Amino acid sequence: MMLLGRGLDARDNQTRQMQDAVSNVEKHFGELCQIFAGYVRKTARLRDKADLLVNEIYAYAATETPNLKVGLKNFADEFSRLQDYRQAEVDRLEAKVVEPLKCYGTIVKLKRDDLRATLTAKSREAKQLSQLEKTRQRNPSDLHVIYQAENELQRATMDATRTTRHLEETIDNFEKQKIRDIKNIFSEFITIEMLFHGKALEIYTAAYQNIQNIDENEDLEVFRSSLYPPDYQSRLDIVRANSKSPLQRTGSSKSSLRTAQISRRMLRKDEEEDEEEDEDDEEDDEEDELDTTKEVR
């Protein structure tokens, strides 16, 4: 009886360890599942925000100068292509990481059922053992009743042993599967993230080059041309001529007046000289006429 009791204690300790192992997986796998699911949701929201950003860049590019327009459009094309890979990342994380962790809810439930069956068998065994001891104490001479109690205890012990062995095998397989699944889940997570970020680096490199290829000077010339039309210079000259200061206009007027006065003086002088010349010519003519008359006489 003492050996049987020790065996029961050993199996109880074993069962408690199995319970702890299952509870530990239930707790931490549940937390991991929730956190990974949140990670996937955040990634999906990031994809949605990126789509809004792409649309806004397209709208803005349509209003800009040619080089900037092309550069922004090419950037938006690359960034939009990146969101396709981000969507693939979301789908893969959901299928390869979150779903396997979710499955452990069902797996843990099944293991708890096995534990309950084992505990029930052990409880029956302990009850039969207690009943046998009471029977021996009450009716030590009633061998038939004692024999029946021993048979009941033997069946209960065999059932408890069978369920315990089944549980041991189940928990052993559960532990193997847990380790294998953890390796697979985290390996898939790393692979998915590496694939996405590798593509992201490639796409961001192309997007960066598109932005750097924008010709600032050429777009600035286009902007200036749109701001100042072709006839702007001639109109500017007219405006400048009309926008002279009053002092400049007064000085110009005085200069014009002096020029006119000088011209008039020179004209009168020329006229006076011409008159003098005419008078001299007339005198010469008169003298010539007198000389001719004298010769005729």
Side-chain angles (χ1 to χ4, degrees):
M1 296 294 292
M2 290 180 65
L3 291 174
L4 183 59
R6 289 175 183 173
L8 288 173
D9 290 341
R11 285 202 296 268
D12 286 343
N13 290 333
Q14 187 181 41
T15 303
R16 277 195 295 271
Q17 288 181 350
M18 293 176 183
Q19 284 179 313
D20 291 342
V22 172
S23 297
N24 189 57
V25 169
E26 183 180 30
K27 175 186 176 182
H28 292 291
F29 273 53
E31 291 292 333
L32 286 171
C33 183
Q34 289 183 6
I35 294 171
F36 271 122
Y39 180 93
V40 173
R41 287 194 299 272
K42 289 288 181 66
T43 304
R45 283 199 288 270
L46 180 60
R47 174 210 57 211
D48 294 339
K49 291 295 183 182
D51 289 339
L52 293 176
L53 178 59
V54 167
N55 292 335
E56 179 56 29
I57 292 172
Y58 279 135
Y60 170 55
T63 67
E64 273 297 346
T65 46
N67 273 280
L68 188 55
K69 179 187 294 186
V70 172
L72 288 173
K73 183 180 179 301
N74 290 339
F75 172 84
D77 290 342
E78 295 294 341
F79 199 57
S80 177
R81 189 161 67 94
L82 178 62
Q83 304 322 306
D84 296 336
Y85 288 103
R86 200 184 297 277
Q87 179 61 47
E89 176 195 17
V90 169
D91 295 339
R92 289 169 183 164
L93 287 173
E94 187 69 35
K96 300 293 185 179
V97 177
V98 177
E99 284 301 322
L101 288 171
K102 281 184 180 178
C103 291
Y104 266 81
T106 303
I107 294 172
V108 167
K109 185 176 180 298
L110 293 174
K111 299 313 167 192
R112 287 202 176 280
D113 291 340
D114 291 338
L115 280 168
R116 276 194 292 270
T118 301
L119 290 172
T120 301
K122 288 181 178 181
S123 176
R124 191 182 305 115
E125 181 187 18
K127 184 178 179 181
Q128 290 299 326
L129 177 61
S130 176
Q131 188 173 354
L132 177 59
E133 289 177 349
K134 290 178 181 179
T135 301
R136 283 176 176 171
Q137 289 174 0
R138 291 172 186 172
N139 302 302
S141 59
D142 193 346
L143 298 179
H144 179 69
V145 174
I146 293 173
Y147 179 72
Q148 284 183 339
E150 287 178 345
N151 285 338
E152 291 294 331
L153 175 60
Q154 186 177 8
R155 282 196 293 271
T157 301
M158 290 177 62
D159 186 49
T161 301
R162 180 182 57 80
T163 56
T164 300
R165 286 177 180 172
H166 173 71
L167 181 63
E168 288 174 356
E169 293 176 1
T170 300
I171 293 298
D172 188 74
N173 291 331
F174 172 74
E175 193 70 16
K176 288 179 183 176
Q177 188 64 41
K178 177 196 75 175
I179 296 171
R180 189 179 300 118
D181 286 343
I182 282 291
K183 288 177 65 177
N184 289 337
I185 288 168
F186 278 86
S187 295
E188 288 289 348
F189 174 75
I190 293 168
T191 302
I192 292 167
E193 291 298 289
M194 286 176 63
L195 285 172
F196 171 75
H197 288 291
K199 276 294 180 183
L201 181 60
E202 175 186 332
I203 291 171
Y204 277 130
T205 301
Y208 178 83
Q209 194 60 50
N210 286 326
I211 294 298
Q212 292 301 309
N213 286 340
I214 296 173
D215 191 329
E216 303 170 32
N217 294 328
E218 186 173 337
D219 272 10
L220 190 56
E221 288 299 322
V222 171
F223 174 75
R224 287 169 177 168
S225 298
S226 65
L227 193 61
Y228 306 121
D231 60 342
Y232 174 78
Q233 189 60 41
S234 60
R235 286 188 291 161
L236 183 62
D237 293 339
I238 295 172
V239 170
R240 285 175 179 170
N242 293 332
S243 64
K244 286 183 179 180
S245 65
L247 182 60
Q248 289 176 320
R249 288 198 295 270
T250 302
S252 178
S253 298
K254 290 180 178 178
S255 176
S256 299
L257 182 59
R258 284 196 297 271
T259 303
Q261 291 174 346
I262 293 171
S263 298
R264 283 196 294 272
R265 289 196 194 102
M266 292 178 66
L267 180 61
R268 283 198 298 270
K269 185 177 181 181
D270 290 339
E271 289 176 353
E272 291 175 353
E273 290 178 353
D274 289 338
E275 289 176 357
E276 291 178 356
E277 289 178 357
D278 290 339
E279 290 177 356
D280 292 340
D281 289 337
E282 288 178 358
E283 291 178 355
D284 291 337
D285 290 337
E286 289 177 356
E287 290 178 357
D288 290 337
E289 286 179 1
L290 289 173
D291 292 338
T292 304
T293 302
K294 287 178 180 181
E295 287 175 359
V296 170
R297 286 178 182 174

